[in-house]
Amino acid sequence: MIGKYNLVVRNKRLVYDITLERKYTIIRGDSGTGKTELCRFLSQGEKLGVQVTSSINYVVPNSVDAAISLMQNRNNYLIVLDEDVIFQFDRDIFIQSLKKSNNYFLLVTRLKLDELPYSVKEIYELRGEKYNRLQYKNEMISRFSESI
Amino acid sequence: MMNILNQILQKKVVKEIDKSELISVYNVISPVLGSISSYMISGGAKTLICMRYTDIIFSLSQFGENCFPILGDICDIKDITVIADISVLPYRYGFHGEIHFLDDDSYVNDDKEYLRKYHEIERSLK
């Protein structure tokens, strides 16, 4: 990945501020922190009254076939995969498809993906805090950078 | 579904995992998202509720670390079976109870023993 890409997702009550630095970025963490909600906001966007500002084109496939097709036919896109979709994949096909693809990936999963060459610094969890009187801000906090 | 959602455990799950309030079968009040439908509660909360009332075997990767205390509460009521597909520290995050590895019929009571056994079985399966 050349440089950094920013992704800001905003609605009336919630702000997500995400910075991507490498090909694979992984989000895991506690239940109920807004991981699936982020995918829903990105995939349905305006329908949910959400404003997305992104410096990279992105897609959120909701099935295995759609994901494989997008991985093969797009270049330099950000492909966001929620754990619902990742669970449906055959593991070997999933790993091979990701490795061959010329796109960037935001993976929402707690699964171990030892076969992928991702950095421990790119494993994040979402942590929300009150941003102002009306909004919560959800930022990605690296899980392991402090111990390196 | 109506009976299931009105129980104390379900209110506790929604309160502690999602920090929200279960108002009725169809309505949950979230401090962040406002009024939402009950099908929009988190995957971890849904899995805990299903686990309490069914014998379906779920995998551990569906639970965040904040689910372990309530998983312990459910274990006080009934035995549950999960697929240990990720390496976790259940006792550190509030799980209470005994873990029985069905692979080799052994029991563990703390994280150190749990991780040792988990990796031992994982290596033997490769």
Side-chain angles (χ1 to χ4, degrees):
Chain A
M1 183 177 270
I2 301 166
K4 292 180 180 181
Y5 291 107
N6 274 322
L7 193 63
V8 179
V9 183
R10 182 187 294 273
N11 78 355
K12 199 175 147 195
R13 289 169 179 264
L14 195 57
V15 182
Y16 286 91
D17 192 347
I18 291 168
T19 306
L20 305 166
E21 296 186 32
R22 293 176 201 238
K23 181 174 178 182
Y24 305 109
T25 305
I26 295 181
I27 300 182
R28 49 180 64 166
D30 285 350
S31 297
T33 49
K35 303 185 291 292
T36 306
E37 206 57 25
L38 170 65
C39 296
R40 205 170 68 91
F41 281 167
L42 285 173
S43 66
Q44 299 186 29
E46 284 178 12
K47 222 191 292 178
L48 299 174
V50 177
Q51 189 191 346
V52 182
T53 314
S54 173
S55 52
I56 183 170
N57 291 324
Y58 64 89
V59 280
V60 191
N62 57 5
S63 71
V64 172
D65 289 347
I68 290 176
S69 164
L70 287 166
M71 283 184 213
Q72 289 169 349
N73 299 326
R74 301 284 168 103
N75 278 316
N76 295 321
Y77 265 65
L78 171 67
I79 299 182
V80 183
L81 292 173
D82 194 10
E83 60 186 353
D84 291 355
V85 178
I86 296 174
F87 275 135
Q88 293 170 40
F89 265 97
D90 174 83
R91 192 181 172 92
D92 292 337
I93 293 174
F94 178 65
I95 300 290
Q96 289 309 319
S97 308
L98 258 67
K99 280 185 176 173
K100 280 183 195 163
S101 178
N102 190 21
N103 292 291
Y104 305 107
F105 293 93
L106 182 62
L107 307 171
V108 180
T109 181
R110 295 189 191 95
L111 288 176
K112 280 201 299 179
L113 299 168
D114 297 346
E115 301 91 334
L116 283 181
Y118 62 87
S119 161
V120 288
K121 285 185 179 176
E122 299 310 313
I123 301 174
Y124 294 95
E125 62 184 23
L126 288 174
R127 201 168 292 165
E129 58 183 40
K130 260 214 144 118
Y131 180 46
N132 57 33
R133 199 169 59 84
L134 294 174
Q135 287 180 314
Y136 279 81
K137 187 173 191 177
N138 239 343
E139 279 185 306
M140 297 211 304
I141 310 292
S142 179
R143 290 197 81 180
F144 301 108
S145 63
E146 288 164 17
S147 57
I148 291 171
Chain B
M1 191 66 179
M2 189 170 289
N3 289 334
I4 289 178
L5 270 179
N6 280 328
Q7 305 291 323
I8 293 167
L9 180 91
Q10 282 66 278
K11 294 200 170 181
K12 188 179 169 185
V13 168
V14 174
K15 182 95 186 157
E16 291 190 10
I17 308 291
D18 290 358
K19 311 281 182 285
S20 303
E21 200 174 346
L22 185 61
I23 301 294
S24 71
V25 183
Y26 303 106
N27 192 11
V28 173
I29 303 288
S30 157
V32 179
L33 299 170
S35 177
I36 56 170
S37 160
S38 51
Y39 85 88
M40 280 171 62
I41 62 174
S42 67
K46 279 179 200 160
T47 313
L48 284 170
I49 294 170
C50 288
M51 194 161 245
R52 168 67 184 85
Y53 293 98
T54 67
D55 292 323
I56 298 170
I57 298 175
F58 293 97
S59 64
L60 266 188
S61 58
Q62 282 162 305
F63 299 106
E65 283 145 357
N66 55 345
C67 292
F68 283 115
I70 294 180
L71 209 51
D73 292 346
I74 296 173
C75 285
D76 292 341
I77 303 166
K78 62 182 271 199
D79 286 346
I80 56 172
T81 308
V82 294
I83 300 167
D85 55 349
I86 52 168
S87 152
V88 288
L89 298 169
Y91 292 97
R92 178 177 171 184
Y93 293 104
F95 180 77
H96 48 277
E98 196 170 40
I99 297 173
H100 178 198
F101 280 90
L102 296 173
D103 306 70
D104 63 354
D105 200 25
S106 58
Y107 290 84
V108 299
N109 288 299
D110 64 49
D111 284 333
K112 201 174 164 186
E113 280 181 58
Y114 174 84
L115 283 180
R116 192 178 58 76
K117 186 56 76 180
Y118 170 83
H119 289 294
E120 189 183 305
I121 292 171
E122 193 189 34
R123 271 197 300 275
S124 71
L125 291 174
K126 276 181 182 171

